[in-house]
């Protein structure tokens, strides 16, 4: 899970992989996580959520209300995962991005260039999916998670 309004969710059951932009409402997010949990139970598959561990800073020039809203959204994710009894692993962005040997965000001239680099890597790994900036990080977190679980 890549938290935030511009983040996304990615999941796999070993046979197929899916990714979606972060749902528009908290209710939709909880419902989507519940459906993923039900599908895992039906498949008798282990279910572990890897969630990007984020700080409260949302960017230069952003009001405090944006940080509050972001933190609240992260709390909704954590609460839903706990309520559904889904094992959760938090992973720092520096940790999961290092797995792909793409350099760092700081090594890119702009944040946009860095995000496009991550999107290109996700597209390379999932050519059958339509990768967006909203789903690319979630898919790469999924790849990282799968490598950790082997």
């Amino acid at each position: 899970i890549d938290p935030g309004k511009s983040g996304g969710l990615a999941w796999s059951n070993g046979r197929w992989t899916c990714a979606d932009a972060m749902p528009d409402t908290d209710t939709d997010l909880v419902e989507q996580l519940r459906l993923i949990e039900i599908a895992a139970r039906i498949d008798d598959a282990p279910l572990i959520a890897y969630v990007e561990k984020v700080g409260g800073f949302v960017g230069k020039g952003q009001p405090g209300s944006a940080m509050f809203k972001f933190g609240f959204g992260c709390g909704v994710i954590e609460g839903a995962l706990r309520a559904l009894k889904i094992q959760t692993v938090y992973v720092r962005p520096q940790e999961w991005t290092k797995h792909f040997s793409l350099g760092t965000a700081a090594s890119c001239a702009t944040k946009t260039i860095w995000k496009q680099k991550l999107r290109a890597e996700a597209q390379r790994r999932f050519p059958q999916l339509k990768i967006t900036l909203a789903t690319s990080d979630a898919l790469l977190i999924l790849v990282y998670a799968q490598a950790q679980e082997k």
Side-chain angles (χ1 to χ4, degrees):
I1 300 174
D2 176 22
K5 188 172 72 172
S6 61
L9 308 168
W11 63 97
S12 176
N13 69 355
R15 295 185 308 268
W16 41 262
T17 299
C18 294
D20 285 314
M22 189 61 66
D24 290 331
T25 69
D26 296 341
T27 301
D28 291 343
L29 170 64
V30 171
E31 181 63 14
Q32 188 158 6
L33 290 173
R34 190 180 70 76
L35 292 173
I36 293 167
E37 185 269 336
I38 290 169
R41 203 169 351 113
I42 289 169
D43 285 347
D44 197 28
L47 184 58
I48 302 170
Y50 274 68
V51 180
E52 185 174 66
K53 184 176 184 172
V54 292
F57 184 70
V58 294
K60 252 186 197 174
Q62 296 293 318
S65 60
M67 288 183 268
F68 182 83
K69 196 178 237 184
F70 181 68
F72 186 87
C74 291
V76 169
I77 292 169
E78 183 172 344
L81 293 170
R82 285 186 183 191
L84 294 167
K85 296 182 172 78
I86 297 173
Q87 180 185 346
T88 306
V89 175
Y90 291 93
V91 58
R92 294 177 35 241
Q94 299 86 345
E95 187 179 340
W96 71 258
T97 56
K98 185 178 181 180
H99 176 79
F100 299 99
S101 303
L102 297 172
T104 64
S107 68
C108 292
T110 65
K111 182 179 178 181
T112 301
I113 292 171
W114 174 244
K115 288 299 199 178
Q116 289 294 345
K117 198 177 203 182
L118 293 172
R119 185 182 162 283
E121 179 64 16
Q123 191 66 72
R124 184 183 73 74
R125 290 174 179 266
F126 298 97
Q128 75 282 12
L129 298 178
K130 181 181 184 294
I131 308 299
T132 67
L133 290 176
T135 60
S136 60
D137 286 11
L139 283 162
L140 294 177
I141 292 167
L142 174 64
V143 170
Y144 171 82
Q146 290 170 329
Q148 301 310 300
E149 295 300 319
K150 286 186 178 179

